[in-house]
């Protein structure tokens, strides 16, 4: 049974028929909530909804499920895994008090870690709706989520990168060319991760072998992942393919995940299979998840929730399976969900904050499509803000141009910009490798060496010269 | 410029020596990715920055510039005179329920439905043609989608290639009059195919433009089109453009899919596209230059 929420101001009384309606009306404006018809009907109603939401006790979220427990396995996961002991220090707070508590000096990194398992996604989403961008940055920056496989992700003052060497026909040399470009720009400490153009087991296996050979030949302290369906990766493992990380796109409702063709039991099985391979060296986080606001609405599986609350619920799915990396692909979905740079930036900061608060190793695909009202300047802003917020990783792609997925994300250059301007390093294992390979002279300060690193000169010399863009060869 | 650079091991130089070029830029023989851009410090060189801005501007124009429907209509009429395999009737222009580009971009649901006026026109057309003929085998819809550039550069060439192939095969396929649709999403074809009483609908649509491919055409085939179908009922052929999948190859794939759809009386996930199986399974290239010659010595 859902409660009615009322807020009286002067002689006016505002009514919200349920907690999910109140949450939706309190959400900062974005096109996806307008498309779903759940958005506030006026700016005033939004501000009133935020005041009303601020008065809601956190305990209400444990009593009123936004999607019924009986209907949705994500709700069951959230409720069943809730840790009452961890919740105790904040159990007496309202949403508004929770914001004050999070921003206070009392809530330091250790305290935030301590209460993590007591926070539900809905609580995180609710408080984010009454936080300004700077609040989202400040609190996220206090959250520590550290994971590891062959490199360590999420340490303080670090910003890792997923090297994303996509190619429209999965051409092996084309992919290898982008991998080399990335490595020589110091990218790839979070993962070498390919979106396959042809999405099947045979192709995925080929790409896994390619990356495995590169990683082992050059002794790179990183991991690989082919972003294919979880059931494909399970088949790859059964066939003996070298699988480091298991990928899946996930959403915050059972119906969304069903439309993606998996359930929570599938992820549990896949995680177990990958763990048994024991391929990690410094840790054993074997899952890589991608999310993004709008996916539930896109699958017509949002149950009347706003898209940001659905997104936060996806992090409950993620944290159940101890992922190495979780990536919100914030601007990929298009302007019908996030219309412009302002909405994309806000969503990126919300997703990162909610993920970190819930204990998820949150990275962000700082990106946009060409039909969104956004450009490189918006991406510069979001990248800088996320770097300040302690974002675990961003993407790295040659010149920001994904020639397979047809969108723009952060480039190898962009990551180095962020590292320099914010004083952030790469994963420590990877920094040592960059210096050993003579790619960087001072990895802590993103200082590249101009000469071609000796370990790679042989690969390049063996190639036929296309007579095109080649410049004079330089030997290190 | 590149020849003047004296590589430094430290990267810290007392005198500015220009942009650092990347000798591996010649790996562009393997990929269109923007590799080996060079750098100034860690930033993009001016030339590369401005080239990117131009590409983005072209992609933005592809989204926002209106399609020249008059020129498209003239071209289609010329083709109809040339090939007896095409329907001789004049092309029909329809509009979705999205009134303009801003509405179109934010309300994909409206781009999937024909306007009331267009609906009446299509019903009239279906009545006219049902007097003398049976149902059409295939309705063809050309929609602007997210790239008018894709349509203006590829649609006529593709229809030409299709009509030619059908003529060469002495095909008895009956085509509906071609429909040109403004502010169209793929699913608009469901409405149109249903109203024209066609057994299948083929939608040519401007795909979401990429930075390096603002001109990419998508082909979507749907069997038994009717309002409310979802994407698992469609088969897609993507990236049809001069620098991508060729128009003749796209016609070959389309006719494969259409024949399968006729055989199975269904489309989408029911059809496995095996027209490319040999490409992956028998690919001799299982490794890359990084491994063939590489060593971490």
């Amino acid at each position: 049974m859902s409660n009615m929420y009322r807020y009286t101001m002067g002689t006016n009384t505002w009514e919200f028929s349920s907690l999910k309606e109140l949450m939706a009306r309190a959400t900062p404006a974005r096109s996806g909530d307008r498309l779903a018809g759940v958005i506030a009907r006026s700016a005033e109603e939004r501000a009133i909804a935020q005041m009303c939401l601020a008065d809601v006790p956190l305990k209400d979220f444990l009593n009123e499920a936004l999607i019924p427990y009986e209907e949705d396995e994500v709700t069951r996961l959230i409720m069943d895994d809730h840790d009452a002991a961890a919740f105790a220090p904040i159990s007496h707070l309202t949403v508004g008090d929770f914001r004050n508590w999070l921003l206070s000096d009392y809530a330091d990194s250790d305290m935030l870690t301590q209460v993590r398992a007591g926070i539900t996604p809905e609580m995180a989403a609710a408080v984010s709706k009454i936080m300004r961008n700077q609040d989202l940055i400040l609190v996220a920056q206090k959250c520590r989520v550290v994971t590891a496989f062959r490199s360590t992700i999420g340490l303080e003052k670090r910003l890792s990168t997923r090297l994303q060497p996509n190619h429209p026909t999965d051409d092996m040399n084309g992919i290898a060319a982008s991998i080399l470009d990335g490595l020589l720009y110091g990218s790839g400490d979070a993962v070498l991760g390919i979106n396959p153009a042809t999405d099947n087991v045979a192709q995925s296996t080929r790409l896994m072998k390619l990356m495995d050979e590169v990683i082992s030949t050059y002794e790179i302290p990183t991991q690989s992942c082919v972003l294919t369906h979880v059931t494909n990766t399970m088949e790859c493992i059964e066939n003996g393919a070298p699988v480091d990380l298991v990928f899946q796109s996930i959403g915050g409702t059972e119906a969304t995940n069903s439309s993606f063709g998996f359930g929570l039991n599938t992820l549990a099985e896949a995680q177990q299979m990958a763990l048994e391979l024991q391929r990690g060296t410094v840790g054993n986080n074997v899952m890589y998840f991608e999310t993004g606001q709008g996916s539930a609405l896109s699958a017509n599986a949002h149950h009347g929730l706003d898209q940001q609350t659905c997104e936060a619920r996806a992090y409950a799915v993620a944290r159940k399976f101890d992922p190495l990396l979780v990536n919100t692909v914030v601007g990929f979905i298009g302007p019908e969900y996030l219309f412009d740079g302002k909405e994309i930036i806000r969503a990126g900061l919300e997703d990162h904050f909610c993920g970190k608060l819930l204990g998820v190793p949150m990275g962000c695909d700082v990106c946009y499509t060409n039909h969104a009202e956004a450009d490189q300047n918006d991406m510069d802003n979001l990248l800088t803000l996320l770097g300040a917020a302690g974002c675990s990783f961003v993407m790295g792609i040659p010149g920001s141009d994904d020639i397979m997925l047809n969108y723009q994300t952060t480039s190898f250059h962009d990551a180095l910009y962020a590292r320099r301007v914010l004083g952030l390093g790469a994963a420590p294992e990877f920094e040592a490798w960059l210096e050993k390979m003579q790619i960087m002279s001072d990895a802590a300060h993103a200082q590249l060496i101009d000469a071609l690193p000796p370990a790679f000169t042989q690969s390049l010399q063996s190639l036929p010269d296309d007579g095109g863009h080649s410049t004079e060869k330089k030997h290190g | 410029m590149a020849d003047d650079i004296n590589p430094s091991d430290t990267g810290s130089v007392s005198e500015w020596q220009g942009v650092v070029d990347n000798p591996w830029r010649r790996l562009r023989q393997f990929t269109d990715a923007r590799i080996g851009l060079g750098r100034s410090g860690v930033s993009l060189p001016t030339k590369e920055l401005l080239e990117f801005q131009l590409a983005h501007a072209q992609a933005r124009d592809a989204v926002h510039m209106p399609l020249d429907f008059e020129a498209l209509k003239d071209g289609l009429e010329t083709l109809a005179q040339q090939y007896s395999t095409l329907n001789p009737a004049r092309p029909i222009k329809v509009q979705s329920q999205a009134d303009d580009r801003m509405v179109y971009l934010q309300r994909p649901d409206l781009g999937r439905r024909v306007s009331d006026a267009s609906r009446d026109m299509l019903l009239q057309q279906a009545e006219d043609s049902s007097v003398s003929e049976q149902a059409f085998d295939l309705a063809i819809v050309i929609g602007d989608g997210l790239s008018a550039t894709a349509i203006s550069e590829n649609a006529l060439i593709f229809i030409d290639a299709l009509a030619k192939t059908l003529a060469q095969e002495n095909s008895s396929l009956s085509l509906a009059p071609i429909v040109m649709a403004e502010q169209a999403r793929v699913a608009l074809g469901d409405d149109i195919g249903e109203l024209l009483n066609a057994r299948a609908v083929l939608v040519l649509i401007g795909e979401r433009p990429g930075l390096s491919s603002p001109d990419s055409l998508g082909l979507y085939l749907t069997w038994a089109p009717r309002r409310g179908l979802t994407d698992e009922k469609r088969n897609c052929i993507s990236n049809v453009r001069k620098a991508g999948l060729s128009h003749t190859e796209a016609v070959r794939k389309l006719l494969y899919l259409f024949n399968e759809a006729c055989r199975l009386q269904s489309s989408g996930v029911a059809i496995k596209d095996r027209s490319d199986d040999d490409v992956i399974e028998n690919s001799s290239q299982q490794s890359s230059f990084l491994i063939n010659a590489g060593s971490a010595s």
Side-chain angles (χ1 to χ4, degrees):
Chain A
M1 225 10 241
S2 56
N3 297 312
M4 181 77 97
Y5 288 82
R6 285 194 183 81
Y7 196 84
T8 304
M9 175 160 282
T11 55
N12 283 341
T13 297
W14 303 73
E15 290 186 348
F16 304 95
S17 67
S18 63
L19 189 50
K20 75 176 176 186
E21 183 179 292
L22 177 62
M23 295 271 279
R25 298 280 163 83
T27 306
R30 65 204 60 196
S31 53
D33 289 340
R34 191 173 301 120
L35 183 63
V38 301
I39 197 169
R41 288 160 297 185
S42 68
E44 186 182 18
E45 187 188 33
R46 176 174 300 110
I48 294 290
Q50 290 174 344
M51 289 176 169
C52 186
L53 182 61
D55 288 346
V56 173
L58 292 182
K59 276 180 182 158
D60 275 20
F61 291 96
L62 300 175
N63 298 326
E64 183 175 347
L66 301 189
I67 302 172
Y69 184 92
E70 299 73 24
E71 282 176 30
D72 188 285
E73 67 172 353
V74 178
T75 300
R76 292 198 287 280
L77 171 69
I78 292 166
M79 295 298 186
D80 295 351
D81 280 14
H82 184 254
D83 184 335
F87 183 57
I90 53 171
S91 63
H92 59 295
L93 300 178
T94 61
V95 172
D97 291 338
F98 189 35
R99 176 182 170 277
N100 290 329
W101 186 91
L102 288 169
L103 289 165
S104 74
D105 294 336
Y106 178 77
D108 60 9
S109 296
D110 289 342
M111 178 56 73
L112 289 167
T113 305
Q114 194 189 314
V115 299
R116 186 176 281 167
I119 302 172
T120 66
E122 289 84 354
M123 294 175 197
V127 74
S128 77
K129 294 175 193 301
I130 59 164
M131 292 168 80
R132 276 172 50 192
N133 287 3
Q134 66 162 271
D135 302 341
L136 298 172
I137 293 168
L138 189 64
V139 177
Q141 197 258 346
K142 292 196 283 185
C143 299
R144 287 266 73 76
V145 182
V146 179
T147 56
F149 191 78
R150 288 190 202 102
S151 57
T152 308
I153 313 296
L155 295 169
E156 202 169 355
K157 290 304 228 177
R158 306 277 173 177
L159 174 65
S160 294
T161 46
R162 165 188 165 192
L163 203 173
Q164 183 172 313
N166 295 344
H167 188 277
T169 60
D170 296 327
D171 179 83
M172 299 299 258
N173 279 329
I175 286 170
S178 289
I179 291 177
L180 179 64
D181 194 45
L183 293 175
L184 295 181
Y185 274 98
S187 180
D189 53 330
V191 64
L192 309 183
I194 302 174
N195 299 87
T198 302
D199 194 359
N200 61 33
V201 171
Q203 188 75 295
S204 296
T205 304
R206 248 175 106 232
L207 297 173
M208 285 166 186
K209 285 180 180 167
L210 166 74
M211 290 188 287
D212 184 52
E213 283 181 335
V214 171
I215 288 171
S216 55
T217 301
Y218 296 95
E219 299 173 343
I220 311 172
T222 191
Q223 36 283 332
S224 74
C225 186
V226 174
L227 283 71
T228 186
H229 195 268
V230 57
T231 54
N232 282 349
T233 306
M234 290 163 79
E235 201 175 325
C236 291
I237 293 176
E238 280 168 3
N239 296 342
V243 172
D244 289 343
L245 304 183
V246 176
F247 170 80
Q248 184 55 43
S249 287
I250 59 171
T253 71
E254 181 177 343
T256 309
N257 293 333
S258 297
S259 82
F260 291 159
F262 77 93
L264 298 180
N265 58 343
T266 324
L267 297 182
E269 195 183 335
Q271 183 193 17
Q272 195 53 43
M273 288 173 76
L275 281 172
E276 282 168 12
L277 298 177
Q278 297 189 0
R279 291 172 58 85
T281 52
V282 295
N284 229 341
N285 299 104
V286 296
M287 305 299 281
Y288 174 19
F289 296 123
E290 284 191 351
T291 68
Q293 291 189 25
S295 64
L297 176 59
S298 172
N300 197 22
H302 61 295
H303 296 266
L305 269 62
D306 67 87
Q307 66 184 30
Q308 191 250 337
T309 301
C310 285
E311 171 72 8
R313 285 168 54 98
Y315 308 151
V317 175
R319 74 173 168 180
K320 178 72 178 171
F321 302 102
D322 304 320
L324 180 75
L325 307 163
V326 177
N327 173 25
T328 171
V329 192
V330 70
F332 187 74
I333 194 161
E336 62 267 42
Y337 300 94
L338 295 168
F339 183 66
D340 58 13
K342 186 184 174 81
E343 292 184 7
I344 292 171
I345 289 169
R346 172 75 197 178
L349 294 175
E350 288 168 348
D351 293 354
H352 178 255
F353 161 81
C354 288
K356 285 288 170 70
L357 189 62
L358 293 166
V360 164
M362 206 70 203
C364 183
D365 193 336
V366 175
C367 66
Y368 65 106
T369 59
N370 288 316
H371 62 316
E373 294 294 313
D375 61 20
Q376 293 297 97
N377 292 325
D378 296 307
M379 299 303 106
D380 289 345
N381 293 350
L382 180 54
L383 173 63
T384 309
L385 297 174
L386 283 170
C391 184
S392 296
F393 66 103
V394 294
M395 307 306 110
I397 204 160
S400 293
D401 177 11
D402 190 316
I403 56 171
M404 201 284 278
L405 293 173
N406 286 338
Y407 77 122
Q408 282 93 257
T409 181
T410 43
S411 68
F412 306 135
H413 294 72
D414 292 339
L416 295 178
Y417 144 78
R419 282 183 185 160
R420 277 201 178 172
V421 82
L422 297 166
L424 307 173
E429 302 86 352
F430 198 78
E431 282 195 344
W433 180 82
L434 289 172
E435 291 181 1
K436 184 185 92 178
M437 298 298 281
Q438 300 176 42
I439 292 169
M440 287 192 179
S441 56
D442 179 2
H445 295 94
Q447 193 73 59
L448 289 160
I449 294 173
D450 289 356
L452 191 61
F456 296 97
T457 50
Q458 202 188 340
S459 309
L460 284 172
Q461 278 168 350
S462 70
L463 288 169
D465 198 325
D466 69 342
H469 309 291
S470 175
T471 55
E472 188 186 4
K473 288 200 185 81
K474 296 163 191 163
H475 300 278
Chain B
M1 187 167 61
D3 296 334
D4 297 332
I5 293 170
N6 182 22
S8 154
D9 275 347
T10 63
S12 59
V13 287
S14 54
E15 204 175 318
W16 184 55
Q17 304 193 328
V19 166
V20 179
D21 284 339
N22 296 143
W24 61 91
R25 186 174 175 125
R26 67 197 182 92
L27 294 173
R28 287 196 180 192
Q29 64 187 287
F30 298 125
T31 181
D32 291 332
R34 292 168 194 252
I35 60 170
L37 290 172
R39 60 190 173 84
S40 184
V42 297
S43 300
L44 272 187
T46 302
K47 178 170 176 288
E48 315 296 339
L49 170 76
L50 296 177
E51 283 175 3
F52 183 100
Q53 310 268 62
L54 174 62
H56 185 234
Q58 288 167 338
R60 295 287 293 160
D61 283 347
V63 173
H64 289 279
M65 300 284 273
L67 178 61
D68 185 347
F69 281 97
E70 278 304 309
L72 180 61
K73 180 165 113 344
D74 292 346
L76 289 171
E77 285 177 353
T78 306
L79 287 175
Q81 288 161 10
Q82 202 175 332
Y83 296 105
S84 60
T85 44
L86 295 178
N87 191 305
R90 304 184 70 181
I92 307 164
K93 165 82 191 300
V94 303
Q95 171 89 30
S96 78
Q97 290 181 9
D99 293 332
D100 61 40
R101 204 65 331 202
M102 281 301 133
V103 172
Y104 174 83
L105 289 173
Q106 295 184 69
R107 292 291 304 271
D109 51 327
L110 297 180
R112 296 184 188 120
R113 298 185 161 199
V114 290
S115 69
D116 291 345
S118 298
R119 167 174 297 271
D120 294 343
M121 192 167 54
L122 288 166
L123 282 171
Q124 187 61 47
Q125 177 71 36
E127 259 174 44
D128 292 351
S129 46
S130 65
V131 174
S132 55
E133 297 169 43
Q134 77 264 29
F136 299 116
D137 291 320
L138 183 67
I140 298 177
V141 177
I142 303 176
D144 48 7
L146 284 165
S147 171
T149 310
I151 298 301
S152 58
E153 298 198 356
N154 297 293
L156 291 172
I157 304 174
F158 174 82
I159 298 291
D160 189 326
L162 175 64
K164 189 181 292 174
T165 304
L166 292 176
Q168 283 164 354
E169 293 180 355
N170 290 320
S171 169
S172 59
L173 201 69
S174 78
L175 295 179
I178 293 180
V179 175
M180 307 179 300
E182 190 166 8
Q183 310 295 5
R185 300 268 172 183
V186 172
L188 190 71
D190 296 343
D191 259 15
I192 295 168
E194 185 175 22
L195 290 166
L196 287 178
N197 195 23
R199 297 169 72 203
V201 66
L202 170 68
V203 179
L204 281 63
I205 199 151
E207 293 187 319
R208 196 174 83 183
L211 204 64
S212 303
S213 54
D215 57 342
S216 186
L217 178 73
L219 307 177
Y220 290 82
L221 180 71
T222 309
W223 185 259
R226 60 188 182 284
R227 180 177 284 194
L229 290 182
T230 49
D231 286 346
E232 73 264 19
K233 290 289 178 193
R234 310 186 199 291
N235 294 97
C236 173
I237 300 167
S238 185
N239 194 32
V240 182
R241 62 193 178 98
K242 292 186 184 91
L245 185 70
S246 74
H247 300 90
T248 48
E249 185 61 15
V251 168
R252 187 186 69 81
K253 279 172 170 280
L254 170 71
L255 293 178
Y256 168 87
L257 290 173
F258 182 76
N259 290 332
E260 285 294 288
C262 289
R263 188 172 67 81
L264 298 166
Q265 300 283 298
S266 183
S267 60
V269 290
I271 301 177
K272 291 287 179 199
D273 183 2
R274 299 194 186 283
S275 59
D276 280 334
D277 266 13
D278 51 333
V279 179
I280 298 165
E281 298 295 335
N282 302 328
S283 171
S284 58
Q285 196 200 343
Q286 295 288 341
S287 192
S288 73
F289 72 88
L290 266 178
I291 300 304
N292 293 343
S295 82
S297 60

